[in-house]
Amino acid sequence: MVSQRLQKGHFHTLYFDLRHNPEKFQGYCRMSVATFDILLASLRSGLTFQDTTMRRSISPEERLLLTLRFLATGNSFASLHYEYLLGISTISGIVCNTCQLIWQRLREAVMPTPTADDWLRIADGFYQSSQFPNCIGALDGKHIRVKKPPHSGSQYFNFRQCFSIVLLALVDSNYRFIIVDIGAYGSTAAVHIFCSSRMGERFRANQLALPEPRRLPGSSASAAPFVIVADEGFALSPHVMRAFPRRDLDDRKRIFNYRLSRARRYVECAFGILSNKWRVFMSSLQMSPQNATLVIQACVILHNFTRIHDVPSEPEVAPFPTTTSVGLDHNPQGRPGSAGLAVRELFADYFISPEGALSWQLNSICGTWR
C-alpha cells in the first residue's frame, strides 16, 4: 500500500482539488487557503528535507497538511496511515516535528511576551467588551486527556477520574491566548499549578512589565492595580481576582461576582473555540505527555494564528466541550491575604458606585447565588 502513495495517497489525490474549493479546504484544514500558504511559508525551510538515491523526501505541503488533518480530527496515526499511505512511525514523527516547529517559529509572532502598552490595550479591550476595568486577562486551566504514562502512578489522574495534563492559559477579550503554561500533572490543584508555573513566578517577581496602578474610570478613589480574573480554584491576591464565596452574599457581592464572571467567560469560550476547531482534544491523546505537550503547543499557536489571519467563522461564544476535559479542581484555598481582599473590596465598591454601575446589573443578579 505504501508504495502506491504517489498515486492513491490523500495528499496526491485531494490537495490540489481542495485548493480550488475554498470551503472544502477550510473544513479539511480548519483554515483558509491564504492562511495555509502564509503558515507554509513560515515553516517551509524547517519542513524541507533532501532527496536521496533511495527515495524522494516528503514535501513540506504534505507534512503540514497531514499535521493539520491530525489536529483537526484527532484521527489515530493508524487511521491516517490508510489515508496518506505513510508508515505509522513516519506519521508520528512528522506530526511531532511539525508541531514543535510551529511552536518554535510562530510563538514570538502570534503570542509574544506582552509589554506595558500591550497590557493597557488588553485592559481597554476587557473594559469595552465586559465593563471590567483594569483587567489584563482571564485565567483558567483545561485538562487535556492523555493515555496513562507507564509507571506514573496517580500523578496524572485527575478529579474527573481520567489521566490528563493541564493547559493553564491567560486569555484576552479577543479569545486569544496571551500566556500559557502546559504540562502540569492532572492531579495537581489549580492554585498549585499557577503558583509553581513560570507564569505565576513572573507575576510574583513583577517580571511581566505590568503598568502602574491607575484609578478606575470616573472614580476619585485610590488607584487600583491591574488584575487578572479567575475562578474559585485560584488564590486571591492583589493581581488575581476571584468571586466572593457563595454564602451570605448581599447585592454588592453578587454584583461583583456577576461583573467578574462577565470578564472570566472569555477564557472559557477560548477553550471552547480551541476544542471545536482542533478536535484532537475531543478524545484522549494516545501519546506520551512530552508529545502531547507538543500537540497542545501547536494548537495554541494555530488558534491565535487563525484568529489573526482568518475572520472567525465560528460563533464568538462557542459551546463548551464535554465536561470530562474542561476546568480545574476547585479545591478550597486558605485564607487570602489582606492586600488581595482590599483590592477586591475596591472593585466591589466601584461596581455599585454611580461611576461604575451598569444599568442592568441588578436585574441580572436576581435569583443568582442566593
Side-chain angles (χ1 to χ4, degrees):
M1 290 177 60
V2 174
S3 63
Q4 297 179 312
R5 178 174 67 89
L6 299 181
Q7 293 77 36
K8 297 183 179 181
H10 267 205
F11 175 78
H12 298 278
T13 58
L14 286 179
Y15 176 66
F16 295 102
D17 289 337
L18 286 172
R19 289 187 64 91
H20 289 93
N21 192 324
E23 183 178 350
K24 297 293 184 183
F25 192 96
Q26 178 86 36
Y28 193 87
C29 295
R30 300 295 193 268
M31 63 181 64
S32 67
V33 177
T35 301
F36 178 88
D37 290 340
I38 296 171
L39 179 61
L40 180 62
S42 301
L43 305 177
R44 181 178 290 278
S45 61
L47 296 177
T48 302
F49 293 85
Q50 188 174 4
D51 293 336
T52 69
T53 56
M54 299 294 294
R55 67 183 67 183
R56 291 172 53 186
S57 64
I58 301 170
S59 69
E61 290 84 355
E62 186 169 4
R63 290 173 178 271
L64 182 56
L65 192 75
L66 171 63
T67 301
L68 293 178
R69 190 58 182 166
F70 168 73
L71 300 178
T73 63
N75 288 349
S76 67
F77 294 152
S79 176
L80 293 171
H81 159 70
Y82 291 107
E83 296 174 4
Y84 283 81
L85 303 184
L86 289 165
I88 294 176
S89 61
T90 301
I91 292 173
S92 175
I94 289 174
V95 168
C96 293
N97 291 338
T98 305
C99 287
Q100 184 176 31
L101 189 66
I102 289 171
W103 174 260
Q104 292 173 345
R105 292 284 180 92
L106 299 177
R107 180 181 55 177
E108 289 300 321
V110 303
M111 199 173 62
T113 301
T115 63
D117 289 339
D118 292 329
W119 291 124
L120 291 173
R121 176 184 52 78
I122 293 168
D124 290 342
F126 271 103
Y127 184 61
Q128 292 172 10
S129 61
S130 63
Q131 292 76 53
F132 198 108
N134 285 25
C135 177
I136 55 172
L139 177 70
D140 205 354
K142 174 178 172 62
H143 283 283
I144 308 295
R145 287 177 293 167
V146 298
K147 180 178 67 174
K148 181 185 182 298
H151 315 297
S152 61
S154 60
Q155 283 182 321
Y156 293 90
F157 194 68
N158 64 43
F159 72 110
R160 297 188 187 278
Q161 309 300 304
C162 62
F163 297 92
S164 67
I165 59 177
V166 176
L167 163 60
L168 185 70
L170 187 67
V171 172
D172 68 14
S173 60
N174 292 316
Y175 309 103
R176 296 178 189 169
F177 294 104
I178 306 169
I179 305 174
V180 297
D181 189 89
I182 304 167
Y185 297 136
S187 61
T188 310
V191 64
H192 300 305
I193 294 174
F194 180 68
C195 290
S196 61
S197 69
R198 176 64 176 154
M199 184 195 314
E201 292 174 355
R202 293 170 72 186
F203 264 106
R204 290 194 301 275
N206 197 24
Q207 296 176 345
L208 287 173
L210 297 183
E212 292 297 319
R214 68 179 181 186
R215 289 180 176 175
L216 302 178
S219 173
S220 59
S222 56
F226 287 84
V227 299
I228 59 180
V229 293
D231 64 16
E232 295 88 345
F234 296 87
L236 182 69
S237 74
H239 288 294
V240 179
M241 292 291 99
R242 70 176 188 184
F244 285 101
R246 299 186 183 185
R247 61 179 183 273
D248 301 325
L249 288 175
D250 55 22
D251 284 347
R252 173 176 167 274
K253 292 180 179 179
R254 290 192 186 94
I255 288 172
F256 174 86
N257 288 358
Y258 166 70
R259 297 287 290 270
L260 183 137
S261 70
R262 280 171 52 82
R264 197 180 66 80
R265 66 188 174 93
Y266 285 94
V267 66
E268 298 175 349
C269 293
F271 286 147
I273 294 170
L274 178 76
S275 295
N276 276 287
K277 180 181 282 288
W278 307 110
R279 292 179 175 261
V280 68
F281 297 129
M282 291 297 188
S283 60
S284 177
L285 297 178
Q286 300 300 304
M287 54 183 62
S288 68
Q290 294 74 24
N291 288 340
T293 297
L294 296 177
V295 167
I296 299 167
Q297 288 175 336
C299 288
V300 166
I301 295 301
L302 291 172
H303 171 92
N304 282 10
F305 188 83
T306 54
R307 293 195 69 81
I308 292 170
H309 293 283
D310 283 339
V311 177
S313 58
E314 69 277 352
E316 285 299 286
V317 181
F320 240 18
T322 58
T323 56
T324 57
S325 61
V326 174
L328 294 179
D329 189 3
H330 293 174
N331 288 336
Q333 307 306 327
R335 182 177 296 275
S338 58
L341 290 169
V343 174
R344 185 166 66 181
E345 294 294 328
L346 178 63
F347 277 94
D349 289 337
Y350 175 75
F351 289 148
I352 61 171
S353 70
E355 296 81 12
L358 300 177
S359 59
W360 66 84
Q361 62 187 22
L362 281 174
N363 292 332
S364 298
I365 66 169
C366 289
T368 61
W369 296 301
R370 293 185 185 274

Coordinates of all heavy atoms in Angstrom, one line a residue, residues 289-350:
P289 N 3.2 12.1 27.4 CA 3.0 13.5 27.8 C 3.9 14.5 27.1 O 3.5 15.7 26.8 CB 3.3 13.5 29.3 CG 3.0 12.1 29.7 CD 3.4 11.3 28.6
Q290 N 5.1 14.1 26.8 CA 6.0 15.0 26.1 C 5.5 15.3 24.7 O 5.5 16.5 24.3 CB 7.4 14.4 26.0 CG 8.1 14.2 27.3 CD 7.6 13.1 28.2 OE1 7.0 12.1 27.6 NE2 7.8 13.2 29.5
N291 N 5.1 14.3 23.9 CA 4.5 14.6 22.6 C 3.1 15.3 22.7 O 2.8 16.1 21.8 CB 4.4 13.3 21.8 CG 5.7 12.7 21.4 OD1 6.7 13.5 21.3 ND2 5.8 11.4 21.1
A292 N 2.3 14.9 23.7 CA 1.1 15.6 23.9 C 1.3 17.1 24.2 O 0.5 18.0 23.7 CB 0.3 15.0 25.1
T293 N 2.4 17.5 24.9 CA 2.7 18.9 25.1 C 3.0 19.6 23.8 O 2.6 20.7 23.5 CB 3.9 19.0 26.0 OG1 3.5 18.4 27.3 CG2 4.3 20.4 26.2
L294 N 3.7 18.9 22.9 CA 4.0 19.5 21.6 C 2.7 19.7 20.8 O 2.5 20.8 20.1 CB 4.9 18.6 20.7 CG 6.3 18.3 21.3 CD1 7.0 17.3 20.4 CD2 7.1 19.6 21.4
V295 N 1.7 18.8 20.9 CA 0.4 19.0 20.2 C -0.3 20.1 20.7 O -0.9 21.0 20.0 CB -0.4 17.7 20.3 CG1 -1.8 17.9 19.8 CG2 0.3 16.6 19.4
I296 N -0.4 20.3 22.1 CA -1.1 21.4 22.7 C -0.5 22.7 22.3 O -1.1 23.7 22.0 CB -1.1 21.2 24.2 CG1 -1.8 19.9 24.6 CG2 -1.8 22.4 24.9 CD1 -1.6 19.4 26.0
Q297 N 0.9 22.8 22.4 CA 1.6 24.0 22.0 C 1.2 24.4 20.6 O 0.9 25.6 20.3 CB 3.1 23.8 22.1 CG 3.6 23.7 23.5 CD 5.1 23.4 23.6 OE1 5.6 22.8 22.7 NE2 5.7 23.8 24.7
A298 N 1.2 23.5 19.7 CA 0.9 23.8 18.3 C -0.5 24.3 18.1 O -0.8 25.3 17.4 CB 1.1 22.6 17.4
C299 N -1.5 23.7 18.8 CA -2.9 24.1 18.7 C -3.1 25.5 19.3 O -3.9 26.3 18.7 CB -3.8 23.1 19.4 SG -3.9 21.5 18.5
V300 N -2.4 25.8 20.4 CA -2.5 27.1 20.9 C -2.0 28.2 19.9 O -2.6 29.2 19.7 CB -1.7 27.2 22.2 CG1 -1.5 28.6 22.7 CG2 -2.4 26.4 23.3
I301 N -0.9 27.9 19.3 CA -0.3 28.8 18.3 C -1.2 28.9 17.1 O -1.5 30.0 16.6 CB 1.1 28.4 17.9 CG1 2.1 28.4 19.1 CG2 1.6 29.2 16.7 CD1 2.2 29.8 19.7
L302 N -1.7 27.8 16.6 CA -2.6 27.8 15.5 C -3.9 28.5 15.8 O -4.5 29.2 14.9 CB -2.9 26.4 15.0 CG -1.7 25.7 14.3 CD1 -2.0 24.2 14.1 CD2 -1.2 26.4 13.0
H303 N -4.4 28.4 17.0 CA -5.6 29.1 17.4 C -5.4 30.6 17.2 O -6.2 31.3 16.6 CB -5.9 28.8 18.9 CG -7.0 29.6 19.5 ND1 -8.3 29.3 19.5 CD2 -6.9 30.8 20.2 CE1 -9.0 30.2 20.1 NE2 -8.2 31.2 20.5
N304 N -4.3 31.2 17.8 CA -4.0 32.6 17.7 C -3.8 33.0 16.2 O -4.2 34.0 15.7 CB -2.8 33.0 18.5 CG -3.1 33.2 20.0 OD1 -4.2 32.8 20.4 ND2 -2.2 33.7 20.7
F305 N -3.0 32.1 15.5 CA -2.6 32.4 14.1 C -3.9 32.5 13.2 O -4.0 33.4 12.4 CB -1.8 31.2 13.6 CG -1.1 31.5 12.2 CD1 0.0 32.2 12.1 CD2 -1.7 30.9 11.1 CE1 0.6 32.4 10.9 CE2 -1.2 31.1 9.9 CZ 0.0 31.9 9.7
T306 N -4.8 31.6 13.4 CA -6.0 31.7 12.5 C -7.0 32.8 12.9 O -7.6 33.4 12.1 CB -6.8 30.3 12.6 OG1 -7.1 30.0 13.9 CG2 -6.0 29.2 11.9
R307 N -7.0 33.2 14.2 CA -7.8 34.3 14.6 C -7.2 35.6 14.1 O -7.9 36.6 14.0 CB -8.0 34.3 16.1 CG -8.8 33.2 16.6 CD -9.3 33.4 18.1 NE -10.3 34.4 18.1 CZ -11.6 34.3 17.8 NH1 -12.0 33.1 17.4 NH2 -12.4 35.3 18.0
I308 N -5.9 35.6 13.9 CA -5.3 36.8 13.3 C -5.5 36.9 11.8 O -5.8 38.0 11.2 CB -3.8 36.8 13.6 CG1 -3.5 37.0 15.1 CG2 -3.0 37.9 12.8 CD1 -2.1 36.8 15.5
H309 N -5.4 35.8 11.1 CA -5.4 35.8 9.6 C -6.7 35.4 9.0 O -7.0 35.8 7.8 CB -4.3 34.8 9.1 CG -2.9 35.3 9.4 ND1 -2.3 36.3 8.7 CD2 -2.0 34.9 10.3 CE1 -1.0 36.5 9.2 NE2 -0.9 35.6 10.2
D310 N -7.6 34.8 9.7 CA -8.9 34.4 9.2 C -10.0 35.1 10.0 O -9.9 35.2 11.2 CB -9.1 32.9 9.3 CG -8.4 32.1 8.3 OD1 -8.0 32.7 7.2 OD2 -8.2 30.9 8.5
V311 N -11.0 35.5 9.3 CA -12.2 36.0 10.0 C -12.9 34.9 10.7 O -13.2 33.9 10.0 CB -13.2 36.7 9.0 CG1 -14.4 37.2 9.8 CG2 -12.5 37.9 8.4
P312 N -13.1 34.9 12.0 CA -13.6 33.7 12.7 C -15.0 33.3 12.1 O -15.9 34.2 11.9 CB -13.8 34.2 14.2 CG -12.8 35.3 14.3 CD -12.8 36.0 12.9
S313 N -15.1 32.1 11.8 CA -16.3 31.6 11.2 C -17.2 30.9 12.2 O -18.4 30.8 12.0 CB -16.0 30.5 10.1 OG -15.3 29.4 10.7
E314 N -16.7 30.6 13.4 CA -17.5 30.0 14.5 C -18.1 31.1 15.3 O -17.6 32.3 15.3 CB -16.6 29.1 15.4 CG -15.6 29.8 16.3 CD -14.3 30.1 15.5 OE1 -14.2 29.7 14.4 OE2 -13.5 30.9 16.1
P315 N -19.2 30.9 16.1 CA -19.7 31.9 17.0 C -18.7 32.3 18.0 O -17.9 31.5 18.4 CB -20.9 31.1 17.7 CG -21.2 29.9 16.8 CD -19.9 29.6 16.1
E316 N -18.8 33.6 18.3 CA -17.8 34.1 19.3 C -17.9 33.4 20.6 O -16.9 33.3 21.3 CB -18.0 35.6 19.4 CG -17.5 36.4 18.2 CD -16.0 36.3 18.0 OE1 -15.2 36.8 18.8 OE2 -15.6 35.5 17.0
V317 N -19.1 33.1 21.0 CA -19.2 32.3 22.3 C -19.5 30.9 21.9 O -20.6 30.5 21.6 CB -20.4 32.9 23.1 CG1 -20.5 32.0 24.4 CG2 -20.2 34.3 23.5
A318 N -18.4 30.1 21.8 CA -18.5 28.7 21.3 C -19.1 27.8 22.4 O -18.9 28.1 23.6 CB -17.1 28.2 20.9
P319 N -19.8 26.8 22.0 CA -20.3 25.9 23.0 C -19.2 25.1 23.7 O -18.1 24.9 23.1 CB -21.2 24.9 22.2 CG -20.7 25.0 20.8 CD -20.2 26.4 20.7
F320 N -19.4 24.8 25.0 CA -18.3 24.2 25.7 C -18.2 22.7 25.3 O -19.2 22.1 25.0 CB -18.7 24.2 27.2 CG -17.7 24.9 28.1 CD1 -16.8 25.8 27.5 CD2 -17.7 24.7 29.4 CE1 -15.9 26.4 28.3 CE2 -16.8 25.3 30.2 CZ -15.9 26.2 29.7
P321 N -17.0 22.2 25.2 CA -16.8 20.8 25.0 C -17.3 20.0 26.3 O -17.7 20.6 27.2 CB -15.3 20.6 24.9 CG -14.7 21.9 25.1 CD -15.7 22.9 25.3
T322 N -17.2 18.7 26.2 CA -17.8 17.9 27.3 C -17.0 18.2 28.6 O -15.8 18.5 28.6 CB -17.6 16.4 26.9 OG1 -16.2 16.1 26.7 CG2 -18.4 16.0 25.7
T323 N -17.7 18.0 29.7 CA -17.1 18.4 31.0 C -16.0 17.5 31.4 O -15.4 17.7 32.4 CB -18.2 18.4 32.0 OG1 -18.9 17.1 32.1 CG2 -19.2 19.5 31.8
T324 N -15.8 16.4 30.7 CA -14.7 15.5 31.1 C -13.3 16.1 30.7 O -12.3 15.5 31.1 CB -14.9 14.1 30.3 OG1 -14.9 14.4 28.9 CG2 -16.1 13.4 30.8
S325 N -13.3 17.2 30.0 CA -12.0 17.7 29.6 C -11.8 19.1 29.9 O -10.8 19.7 29.6 CB -11.8 17.5 28.1 OG -12.7 18.2 27.4
V326 N -12.7 19.8 30.7 CA -12.6 21.2 30.9 C -12.6 21.5 32.4 O -13.3 20.9 33.2 CB -13.8 22.0 30.2 CG1 -13.7 23.4 30.6 CG2 -13.7 21.8 28.7
G327 N -11.8 22.5 32.8 CA -11.8 23.0 34.1 C -10.8 22.3 35.0 O -10.3 21.3 34.8
L328 N -10.5 23.0 36.1 CA -9.6 22.5 37.1 C -10.3 22.2 38.4 O -11.4 22.7 38.7 CB -8.5 23.5 37.4 CG -7.5 23.8 36.2 CD1 -6.5 24.8 36.6 CD2 -6.8 22.5 35.8
D329 N -9.7 21.4 39.3 CA -10.3 21.1 40.5 C -10.4 22.3 41.4 O -9.4 23.0 41.7 CB -9.4 20.0 41.2 CG -10.1 19.4 42.4 OD1 -11.2 19.8 42.7 OD2 -9.4 18.6 43.1
H330 N -11.6 22.6 41.9 CA -11.8 23.7 42.8 C -11.6 23.4 44.2 O -12.5 23.3 45.1 CB -13.2 24.3 42.6 CG -13.4 24.9 41.2 ND1 -14.6 25.3 40.8 CD2 -12.6 25.1 40.2 CE1 -14.5 25.8 39.5 NE2 -13.3 25.6 39.2
N331 N -10.4 23.0 44.6 CA -10.1 22.7 46.0 C -10.2 23.9 46.8 O -9.8 25.0 46.4 CB -8.7 22.1 46.1 CG -8.6 20.7 45.5 OD1 -9.6 20.0 45.5 ND2 -7.4 20.3 45.1
P332 N -10.7 23.8 48.0 CA -10.8 25.0 48.9 C -9.4 25.6 49.2 O -8.4 24.8 49.4 CB -11.4 24.5 50.2 CG -12.1 23.2 49.8 CD -11.3 22.6 48.7
Q333 N -9.3 26.9 49.2 CA -8.0 27.5 49.4 C -7.9 28.1 50.8 O -8.9 28.3 51.5 CB -7.7 28.6 48.3 CG -7.9 28.2 46.9 CD -7.1 27.0 46.6 OE1 -6.0 26.8 47.1 NE2 -7.5 26.1 45.7
G334 N -6.7 28.4 51.2 CA -6.6 29.0 52.5 C -7.1 30.5 52.5 O -7.5 31.0 51.5
R335 N -7.0 31.1 53.7 CA -7.5 32.4 53.9 C -6.6 33.4 53.0 O -5.4 33.4 53.1 CB -7.4 32.9 55.3 CG -7.9 34.3 55.6 CD -7.9 34.6 57.0 NE -8.8 33.7 57.8 CZ -10.1 34.0 57.9 NH1 -10.6 35.0 57.4 NH2 -10.8 33.1 58.7
P336 N -7.3 34.2 52.2 CA -6.5 35.1 51.3 C -5.8 36.2 52.1 O -6.3 36.6 53.2 CB -7.6 35.7 50.4 CG -8.9 35.5 51.1 CD -8.7 34.3 51.9
G337 N -4.8 36.8 51.6 CA -4.1 37.9 52.2 C -4.9 39.2 52.2 O -5.8 39.4 51.4
S338 N -4.6 40.1 53.2 CA -5.3 41.3 53.3 C -5.2 42.2 52.1 O -6.2 42.9 51.8 CB -4.9 42.1 54.6 OG -3.5 42.3 54.5
A339 N -4.1 42.2 51.4 CA -3.9 43.0 50.2 C -4.9 42.6 49.1 O -5.5 43.5 48.5 CB -2.5 42.9 49.7
G340 N -5.0 41.3 48.9 CA -6.0 40.8 47.9 C -7.4 41.2 48.3 O -8.2 41.6 47.4
L341 N -7.8 41.0 49.5 CA -9.1 41.4 50.0 C -9.4 42.8 49.8 O -10.5 43.2 49.4 CB -9.2 41.0 51.5 CG -9.3 39.5 51.8 CD1 -9.2 39.3 53.3 CD2 -10.6 38.9 51.3
A342 N -8.4 43.7 50.0 CA -8.6 45.1 49.9 C -8.9 45.5 48.4 O -9.7 46.3 48.1 CB -7.4 45.9 50.4
V343 N -8.1 44.9 47.5 CA -8.3 45.2 46.1 C -9.7 44.7 45.7 O -10.4 45.4 44.9 CB -7.2 44.5 45.2 CG1 -7.5 44.6 43.8 CG2 -5.9 45.1 45.6
R344 N -10.1 43.5 46.1 CA -11.5 43.0 45.7 C -12.6 44.0 46.3 O -13.6 44.2 45.6 CB -11.7 41.6 46.2 CG -13.0 41.0 45.8 CD -13.1 39.5 46.0 NE -13.0 39.2 47.4 CZ -13.1 37.9 47.9 NH1 -13.1 36.9 47.0 NH2 -13.0 37.6 49.2
E345 N -12.4 44.5 47.5 CA -13.3 45.4 48.1 C -13.4 46.7 47.3 O -14.5 47.3 47.1 CB -13.0 45.7 49.5 CG -13.1 44.5 50.5 CD -14.6 44.1 50.6 OE1 -15.5 44.9 50.6 OE2 -14.8 42.8 50.8
L346 N -12.2 47.1 46.8 CA -12.2 48.4 46.0 C -13.0 48.2 44.7 O -13.8 49.1 44.3 CB -10.7 48.7 45.7 CG -10.5 49.9 44.8 CD1 -10.9 51.2 45.5 CD2 -9.0 50.0 44.4
F347 N -12.9 47.1 44.0 CA -13.6 46.8 42.8 C -15.1 46.7 43.2 O -16.0 47.2 42.4 CB -13.1 45.6 42.1 CG -11.9 45.8 41.2 CD1 -10.6 45.6 41.7 CD2 -12.1 46.2 39.9 CE1 -9.5 45.8 40.9 CE2 -11.0 46.4 39.1 CZ -9.7 46.2 39.6
A348 N -15.4 46.0 44.3 CA -16.8 45.8 44.6 C -17.5 47.1 44.9 O -18.7 47.3 44.5 CB -16.9 44.8 45.8
D349 N -16.8 48.0 45.6 CA -17.4 49.3 45.9 C -17.6 50.1 44.6 O -18.6 50.8 44.4 CB -16.5 50.1 46.8 CG -16.5 49.6 48.2 OD1 -17.5 48.9 48.6 OD2 -15.5 49.8 49.0
Y350 N -16.6 50.0 43.7 CA -16.7 50.7 42.4 C -17.9 50.2 41.6 O -18.6 51.0 40.9 CB -15.4 50.5 41.6 CG -15.5 51.1 40.2 CD1 -15.4 52.5 40.0 CD2 -15.6 50.3 39.1 CE1 -15.4 53.1 38.8 CE2 -15.7 50.9 37.8 CZ -15.6 52.3 37.7 OH -15.6 52.8 36.4

